[in-house]
Amino acid sequence: MNALEKPASSATAWRGVIHAYASYLPVTAATPIVTLNEGNTPLIKVDNFVRAIGGDFELYLKYEGLNPTCSFKDRGMTLAVSKAKERGASAVICASTGNTSAAAAAYASRAGLKCVVILPNGKIAMGKLAQALMYGATTIAIEGNFDEALRIVRELGETGKVEVVNSINPDRIEGQKTAAFEICDVLARAPDFHFLPVGNAGNITAYWKGFREYHLVGKADRLPRLFGFQAAGAAPIVDGHPIADPQTIATAIRIGNPASWQSALDAASESRGHIGKVTDDEILHAYRLIARSEGVFVEPACAAALAGLIRCVHNKLIPTGSVITATMTGHGLKDPDTAIQSAGIQPVVVRANTAAVMEVIGL
Ligand code: AN7
């Protein structure tokens, strides 16, 4: 065996975020752990991107697209579904812009629970719809947006017949905070700044909780400033009022009345951070740039965080030498339609012969 190789043994194999961080989570020996070995996602240093945007700092992407259902939602869902099972639930339900439904459907299948997902019809990315259907969830597409779907889910939750696994369920936030732990474990410090996209605002709430808890037990040397970004057409927190008809190409964060609104504001103010908004053009620019400069393909919502960072660089808000992390919340393949439409290039179709190919390459 080559010296660089390390065999996977049962002692070192990753068994998911509940096993990794049980002492920080509301679980006991009696909790049936429903896991797909989520978490332990790469923290990728992206120097080319930093150079391209004119920055002079270290930037690491927490690439959550490499979770089992290809988004950060798996962290919260392993805990929410485990706790639902512990409580004896038979069905879980969620409203979703796509990723929560993919995760809920997968973990419910794993747990042997029924799953119902309520989606805004026509406004979820194709990969996410494929996931809900493949995992076998009862998939209901309402003629309305995410906020209306969540209202229906809240009402159904009050019947006591279904377990709601949206981030209004505190177990979701608990599970998601493990991403902050992993960042500190890998860097052996906390970052100076953490950037992330904001939709329903559960994740910024979870990160702030995670960073604070790790700081409190001495596992993180500092508290990062949290910088969250909404899409300009769906920026209720920035605009200061709910948006009745939110619009953005980043369908994951097409949310007009976030459930964790207040705790997002708290995270920003307590951390001396900021919640801002970026346009769809800025999102698409950052979306292409991170793919072209680093080979990191993310879904458009993630690019809101990068577009926000670009703004901060232009506004000279980032001190030289800062250590910055940013969550890339979902995989680029979730939304192939947006990728193909905005890549700016098309396949070149030629006759099946070498000369024709050489002509295109310019050889
Ligand atoms: C890729 O799946 O709300 O601020 O229903 O899928 O915690 O809501 C997704 C949100 C960012 C925003 N990036 O996180 C859902 C849903 C991606 C997302 C967010 C979402 P929150």
Side-chain angles (χ1 to χ4, degrees):
M1 196 186 337
N2 181 300
L4 291 172
E5 290 172 10
K6 196 168 151 216
S9 74
S10 58
T12 57
W14 181 263
R15 295 194 296 151
V17 300
I18 298 180
H19 287 291
Y21 297 106
S23 64
Y24 298 88
L25 298 172
V27 290
T28 67
T31 309
I33 298 177
V34 181
T35 178
L36 287 161
N37 300 25
E38 62 295 313
N40 196 24
T41 55
L43 196 61
I44 307 171
K45 191 157 184 271
V46 287
D47 294 340
N48 299 333
F49 180 80
V50 172
R51 214 171 300 120
I53 67 174
D56 185 11
F57 47 77
E58 290 179 29
L59 175 63
Y60 299 85
L61 302 183
K62 183 65 171 156
Y63 193 28
E64 291 285 87
L66 292 192
N67 274 299
T69 77
C70 308
S71 89
F72 73 103
K73 302 287 185 181
D74 293 342
R75 294 178 184 277
M77 209 53 77
T78 180
L79 193 66
V81 171
S82 296
K83 296 299 285 183
K85 197 170 160 97
E86 184 176 359
R87 288 191 281 267
S90 59
V92 297
I93 189 166
C94 65
S96 183
T97 58
N99 280 327
T100 300
S101 53
Y107 284 80
S109 292
R110 187 91 163 144
L113 302 180
K114 188 173 156 54
C115 180
V116 179
V117 303
I118 305 191
L119 312 171
N121 189 29
K123 293 290 186 182
I124 86 161
M126 207 49 83
K128 304 174 188 180
L129 181 60
Q131 287 178 295
L133 299 174
M134 273 305 288
Y135 297 132
T138 301
T139 304
I140 301 171
I142 61 160
E143 291 165 346
N145 61 31
F146 170 84
D147 304 287
E148 293 168 290
L150 185 59
R151 174 177 49 77
I152 294 167
V153 164
R154 283 182 195 270
E155 286 170 17
L156 292 171
E158 281 163 19
T159 66
K161 293 188 179 145
V162 286
E163 187 94 16
V164 176
V165 293
N166 279 105
S167 57
I168 52 176
N169 176 334
D171 294 326
R172 282 276 315 281
I173 306 291
E174 290 296 313
Q176 281 174 208
K177 76 186 178 188
T178 59
F181 296 166
E182 288 180 15
I183 287 173
C184 297
D185 287 342
V186 169
L187 292 178
R189 55 164 285 174
D192 298 308
F193 295 84
H194 184 77
F195 281 69
L196 76 176
V198 172
N200 213 23
N203 212 29
I204 191 169
T205 303
Y207 268 87
W208 184 230
K209 191 163 197 287
F211 282 127
R212 272 181 306 154
E213 287 182 13
Y214 242 35
H215 185 246
L216 205 65
V217 299
K219 288 223 173 196
D221 58 338
R222 70 197 77 202
L223 286 168
R225 301 176 64 182
L226 294 198
F227 278 54
F229 288 89
Q230 304 194 290
I237 299 177
V238 182
D239 296 347
H241 56 82
I243 306 295
D245 185 21
Q247 295 298 344
T248 169
I249 190 148
T251 53
I253 52 172
R254 185 174 166 271
I255 295 175
N257 191 9
S260 300
W261 188 318
Q262 186 55 48
S263 53
L265 285 174
D266 293 345
S269 68
E270 289 170 19
S271 75
R272 297 183 303 113
H274 176 69
I275 297 185
K277 60 180 178 180
V278 289
T279 65
D280 278 7
D281 282 348
E282 290 175 277
I283 289 173
L284 289 172
H285 170 73
Y287 174 59
R288 281 187 292 262
L289 184 59
I290 195 62
R292 302 271 163 102
S293 65
E294 297 287 1
V296 177
F297 184 22
V298 298
E299 65 170 288
C302 315
L306 297 174
L309 175 60
I310 293 171
R311 275 203 183 191
C312 289
V313 170
H314 289 167
N315 294 336
K316 309 213 178 319
L317 292 173
I318 311 289
T320 299
S322 297
V323 172
I324 305 179
T325 50
T327 313
M328 297 296 104
T329 43
H331 201 289
L333 290 172
K334 291 268 192 178
D335 191 352
D337 298 300
T338 303
I340 290 167
Q341 276 161 28
S342 55
I345 52 176
Q346 297 274 322
V348 182
V349 181
V350 298
R351 282 168 291 115
N353 76 50
T354 307
V357 172
M358 285 178 77
E359 196 182 317
V360 175
I361 308 171
L363 291 177

